[in-house]
Amino acid sequence: MRIPCPLCGERDAAEFSTIGSAPPPRPSADAPMEDWHAYLHLRDNPAGLHAELWQHIHGCRQWLRVMRDTRSHAVASAEACRP
Amino acid sequence: MTRLATCGLIDRAQTLRFTFDGRAYQGHAGDTLASALLANGVRLVGRSFKYHRPRGIWGLGSEEPNVLVELRDGARQEPNTRATTAELFEGLSARSQNRWPSLRFDVMALNGLLGPLLSAGFYYKTFMWPAAFWEKVYEPLIRRAAGLGRAATAPDPDRYERMHAHCDVLVVGAGPTGLAAALAAARTGARVILADEDFALGGRLLAERQEIDGAPATGWVARVLAELQNLPDVTLLPRTTIFGAFDHGTYGAVQRVADHLAEPAPGQPRQRAWTIVAKRVVLAAGAVERPIAFPGNDRPGVMSAAAARGYLHRYAVLPGRRAVVFTAGDDGWRTALALRDAGAEVTVVDPRDRPACPGLRVVAGARVVGTGGRLCLISVRLDTGEAIAADLLAVSGGWNPTLHLASHQGGRPHWDEALAAFLPGTPPPGMAVAGAAAGRFTLAACLADGAAAGLQAARDAGHEGQPLALPRADDEPAGLRALYHVPGRKAFVDFQHDVTADDIALAAREGFRSVEHAKRYTTLGMATDQGRTANVVGLAILAEATGRGIAETGTTIFRPPYTPVAIGALAGAQTGPDFRPTRLTPLHAWSARHGASFVTTGAWLRPEWYARPGEAGWRDSVDREVLHVRRAAGFCDVSTLGKIEVVGPGAAALLDFVYANDISTLKPGRIRYGLMLREDGFVLDDGTCARLSENRFFVTTTTANAARVMQHLEYAHQVLRPELDVSILSVTDAWAQIALAGPRARDVLAQVTAQDVSNAALPHMACTEAVFAGGLRGRLYRLSFSGELAFELGVPPDDAEALADRLRAAGAEPYGTEALGVLRIEKGHAGGGEINGQTTAGNLGLGRMLSRRKEFIGRVMAQRPALVDPARPVLVGLRGDGLRTGAHLLEPGAAANTANDLGHVTASCWSPHLQAQIGLALLSGGQARIGTRIRVYDALRGQDGEAEVVAPVFIDPEGTRTRA
Ligand SMILES: [Zn+2]
């Protein structure tokens, strides 16, 4: 698989590591426990376009938000989390 | 001998000696093992997988289903190599497989008599009962009876390596289509890789006697290769199989660099695995001839007609003097004419109505219904009742496009009734299929198709050029009547897995009508050749048996690898100690010179202790090192600690966010012990954080978690706090770090630096830039993990040895990781055994560190009821003989079961200072149990004893030594 890093260009997936699904926004400190539970543990598992976090650990070390189709592995976009 | 005196692409000047099953033979450079065996008249070359039937050479290349052999001896012995792809070399030793005691007399051929028992689905039927018999009787029996070759038992002495490459156009196959495609693409200036599994490039043109531009086609091949060789952006890869098409234009290839040599030259790898990323791909893999299933079609001497022609033209081998050609199409006639011209007596059997032909005996409108002979073919029977004496039966059932790579990403082939062939479905993005692989089976069509596909691929990759002036060639006749099967017993479909036409019909009768079910039930196409010659015939028989057409029956799809790939090639150089890089500290060589032995810690090698002459064992060394620290001063290489600089106006805010305790209140020039939590509330890592200046922090992590903490910091910054202006840099390798500890540490330090290191100038948890003796510039931190007065000294790696020499000269002795461990257990510091991913700050006695005045990662979830449950195991000390790490803790007298488990010993050691066996443990209700006794139960080592529960700090709980 190839991932188009916005800083380094298209690179082999072996240069990256991933934590899987991109988590929802981090709840505020006073949010109810249910929100924190959802933030930490609940993820969709779609057959189709899927937002994922990948880090280019053997390159620029940027964390990337990658939109990837889980059926075809086609990467629709990859953007730096901190542009 | 069946070698002809003239013709062929072998080098008659170079004679090569080889052995097969112990007998000596001779061949020539340019031979394969198969062609050399045929040239020597060897026709029986293997036994079949299941029935141990005698088998001979069917094919010309990697499609060969029968002739799998063992090559070489000793550690280089290699099973299951196709004799048709094994390039002959001087001294090659080859052996047939799956026979005992010999190829000519194989006891297991009795399996042939058990045929009815071993028919389709026999795994599921015959050996079902009694169940216990499977493991003890049936499986060993079957394994002995049915099998492939034996792998070497000694370690592989050869090297393998991996290579990565990018190109504009990858051309797979160097036949007429591939050569035209590569030339058209290369002339645009595109970066081209042309790969072919054969050792000679030219594909089918090497096996034919065809003309291009009015001269032998081999001349055109030579001219094209010469031009390609001279283009700087073209890479020619003979002996290279593109075995898989993966995502996003990534292709796997294996290059047999030295398989054609007795052993690789010094420094040369045996094989090289390539990862090729191609913008565009032209699949020009050609086609292979398929057999016709008829009774006795597996007898040695029955051969693909196109292969027979290939042996004649390329290797100058006449595969039979009295030949029958059984062909359903025009292609077989070319073989008949070639054999005739080479002097053979030839009969053509064609089910179609065919006219007479000079020099050939033609039996039109007929079929072959049987063969005779025991170990080799001696006769052929026709449905006319005639029997013909023959030593070669060349069979031509039409062509199967080699479309495997086009279906590796899921593209399902579709049946073309007019061509009687499966054609590629939707290929992977960026791939075009051309020539015979796309069903264009004639020479002129292949050249035109390849040239067009090559130019288009280069254009799609961003290059521009002119269409190739097409060389002049003819389209040979390619008429065909679809004929797959002549009814009768022992008509083999899958030669390698011994699947017969009857097996497929039986599967259909028993309800396995879907192609996927029939495949698994009969094992059709599941051998190492993935049914390259077998599948279409099998599907046709299944279609017939179920009353459907082939198009409706459909086909299974192919997966990587196209041909078997040695695991060694994929592993490359990453074997044994080279499985991953080994990291050495700047003091590694120094430590080795001073008697250190080393222990693997993650990727690092660290000194475990420094043995001295006269010490009886490791305990002597470790006890001496510990006592020297407690009584005088020692120093330890702690360069493996993760070291991270966090710099910028937002650095303090970021560190406040990732540490559970406050960092922003730290003053420049001071250090704080820090604790990081995971977002789920458990402890991630501990370490120190030194504020070098207002916006510059130096963070240390444990050795084990260095990479993880770095990633965690980057995540916290980039994903969670992107608004902060911070830079984070790993400086682990930029600093050699030495811990200096002991009551005399300050005296030692005073001898290696002129700076004021008094308690007033450098109090506990202070840090400063420093200049050490000899002008070494570095940093000085006052912090302690041993409970002693201690410092850490940081210098550039190149200065580490000089500093170590000076420390030693000043009276400090080096100590290793074992002593380091004893010192930290005596002091009750949490380490890897305690920070194990399942402990909270409270469990480690560090609950007070959690800040109440700020937000930080893990804060909310650390308050979960289960994480603040007072019954959770907490850190305590243990004292008692026989304490061993990993032992479980129980109430004295309680039964040893999981329900009564109160925790476990996380670390233990002999304390030479206390003269006692001590340990740390995570113990439920531990605080209240201090002063009581606990049962220490170690089922793994068969030990059972008791220990006293004590506070986890065994030495100087007030910290007066540290602050001295
Ligand atoms: Zn990058």
Side-chain angles (χ1 to χ4, degrees), chain A residues 17 26 55 61 63 73 82, chain B residues 247 679 714 718 722 855:
Chain A
S17 73
R26 190 170 182 271
Q55 188 186 14
R61 308 264 329 163
W63 279 92
H73 299 181
R82 184 174 189 270
Chain B
D247 288 311
E679 193 71 278
E714 288 164 330
Q718 296 173 31
E855 156 74 334

Side-chain angles (χ1 to χ4, degrees), chain A:
Chain A
M1 217 168 73
R2 312 273 300 166
I3 295 175
C5 175
L7 277 86
C8 309
E10 191 187 273
R11 298 300 178 97
D12 195 279
E15 292 185 12
F16 298 79
S17 73
T18 182
I19 59 165
S21 295
R26 190 170 182 271
S28 65
D30 53 5
M33 198 56 103
E34 290 69 39
D35 290 10
W36 281 93
H37 167 63
Y39 168 65
L40 267 177
H41 302 124
L42 302 185
R43 297 291 183 272
D44 288 336
N45 184 20
L49 212 55
H50 185 219
E52 299 170 343
L53 288 190
W54 291 71
Q55 188 186 14
H56 196 185
I57 48 165
H58 297 302
C60 60
R61 308 264 329 163
Q62 290 297 305
W63 279 92
L64 308 176
R65 186 181 175 84
V66 176
M67 299 300 294
R68 190 178 68 97
D69 193 313
T70 56
R71 297 163 302 183
S72 65
H73 299 181
V75 175
S77 66
E79 291 166 357
C81 292
R82 184 174 189 270

